[in-house]
Amino acid sequence: MIEARRLHILRAVADHRTVTAAAAALYLTPSAVSQQLAALEQETGHRLVERGAKGVRLTPAGEILLNHTNAVLAQLERAEAELAAYSSGAAGTVTVASFATGIALVVAPAVARLAESAPGIRIRVQDAEGDASLPMVLDRQVDVAVAVEYRGAPPADDPRLAHVPLYAEPFDAVVPVTHRLADAAEVPLAELAKDSWIGPYPGNPCHDVVVLACENAGFQPRMEHSSDDFRAVVALASADAGVALVPRSALRGMDLAGVVVRPVDGTAPTRRVFAAVRRGAEEHPLIRPVLDALSAAAPV
């Protein structure tokens, strides 16, 4: 009989591509992961992984088992949810990982709502960029991720995750007060093709939004300065170090004295924010109220 914990390990190896990375995510040693994979291969009677210079990849038999693994683990999440509901499940801790603006905009208001509507649920919040929180959910490090769509992100129909859309917001152009377009009502991105740019690091979902918007405008942005902190981005723009695109909500409460904020001409680049949990866990009596509170807190 196949053990469920070994299926967790198989999926982690498939997600992280190396035994070492999977072991770190699961808080195991690489030797323990290798031993569990070997035991799983013995249980199934098939070779499931192949090791190479670039890491580990699944064999065709491993891919078949992985497809069943996603369904099995989702069903186990549903079983846990029903058992928790049977025993009331009205009290417990839910860990939520979110990027900083998401914490301010939806997570913190959701925590306040839950304090009144579900006082038995304790929320633990972890700051994590949008591309980091989804692996944390899959690796069972957190229960809920508040994340941003980005190129390469698991799609909404991913069999491992259940998605709950929260909100979408435009990016605005941020230029120094001395910039030639400072008096424009709207900023055409193509007019910024020769400017120096300030933006998040590659890997940050907002970096993808900025680069894709510029590509659609016909150019590659020349990123002279990088920071994942939008306060730093705006400060650099106010110092005439370059131009930037910043999510509208991230600009709230900032000192904008040295910059001009303008909407983008035409279709504005947009970041789409969603909550995600392991598929099957969305109706857990502790998690469902959290998802509902996040949805209720999300701006229209």
Side-chain angles (χ1 to χ4, degrees):
M1 181 177 292
I2 297 173
E3 290 193 20
R5 64 187 177 121
R6 290 174 182 153
L7 295 180
H8 281 293
I9 290 172
L10 178 70
R11 188 160 78 178
V13 169
D15 288 342
H16 294 280
R17 303 294 182 183
T18 70
V19 168
T20 300
L26 297 173
Y27 300 102
L28 297 172
T29 65
S31 62
V33 169
S34 295
Q35 289 170 8
Q36 293 298 318
L37 286 175
L40 185 58
E41 289 180 329
Q42 186 173 6
E43 287 174 344
T44 60
H46 291 277
R47 186 179 183 189
L48 302 175
V49 297
E50 292 180 343
R51 292 169 173 80
K54 295 184 178 180
V56 175
R57 69 179 184 87
L58 298 187
T59 64
E63 293 287 355
I64 291 172
L65 184 57
L66 180 63
N67 289 335
H68 288 285
T69 291
N70 291 327
V72 168
L73 295 183
Q75 191 59 40
L76 287 174
E77 293 282 356
R78 294 186 188 100
E80 290 181 9
E82 288 191 23
L83 287 170
Y86 176 74
S87 60
S88 79
T93 300
V94 176
T95 304
V96 180
S98 172
F99 57 100
T101 309
I103 292 174
L105 199 59
V106 293
V107 177
V111 170
R113 286 173 179 269
L114 288 165
E116 295 184 1
S117 63
I121 298 177
R122 176 173 174 263
I123 305 297
R124 293 180 61 249
V125 180
Q126 296 186 19
D127 190 333
E129 289 300 333
D131 59 327
S133 58
L134 296 177
M136 292 170 72
V137 168
L138 290 172
D139 293 334
R140 305 181 71 85
Q141 297 172 9
V142 301
D143 302 302
V144 181
V146 174
V148 179
E149 290 183 6
Y150 60 96
R151 287 188 284 191
D157 61 352
D158 189 293
R160 303 168 298 171
L161 294 167
H163 284 219
V164 177
L166 294 179
Y167 65 94
E169 65 172 327
F171 281 59
D172 289 325
V174 177
V175 301
V177 292
T178 57
H179 195 272
R180 63 189 182 280
L181 296 177
D183 293 329
E186 296 181 333
V187 173
L189 284 186
E191 296 295 320
L192 303 177
K194 295 183 179 180
D195 284 82
S196 297
W197 279 74
I198 313 157
Y201 284 100
N204 185 314
C206 289
H207 176 90
D208 284 348
V209 174
V210 171
V211 170
L212 183 59
C214 293
E215 288 175 351
N216 290 338
F219 69 98
Q220 284 282 341
R222 181 162 51 88
M223 289 289 181
E224 291 286 345
H225 311 283
S226 297
S227 174
D228 288 334
D229 185 337
F230 285 116
R231 291 185 182 275
V233 170
V234 170
L236 286 168
S238 69
D240 206 13
V243 300
L245 289 174
V246 177
R248 188 165 292 171
S249 66
L251 294 168
R252 295 177 183 173
M254 280 197 196
D255 179 4
L256 303 175
V259 298
V260 172
V261 178
R262 294 288 184 265
V264 173
D265 184 32
T267 302
T270 301
R271 74 170 170 183
R272 291 174 173 80
V273 180
F274 61 94
V277 299
R278 291 180 294 278
R279 190 170 291 275
E282 60 269 28
E283 296 304 328
H284 191 286
L286 293 179
I287 292 177
R288 182 76 258 170
V290 175
L291 295 177
D292 291 342
L294 289 170
S295 295
V300 177

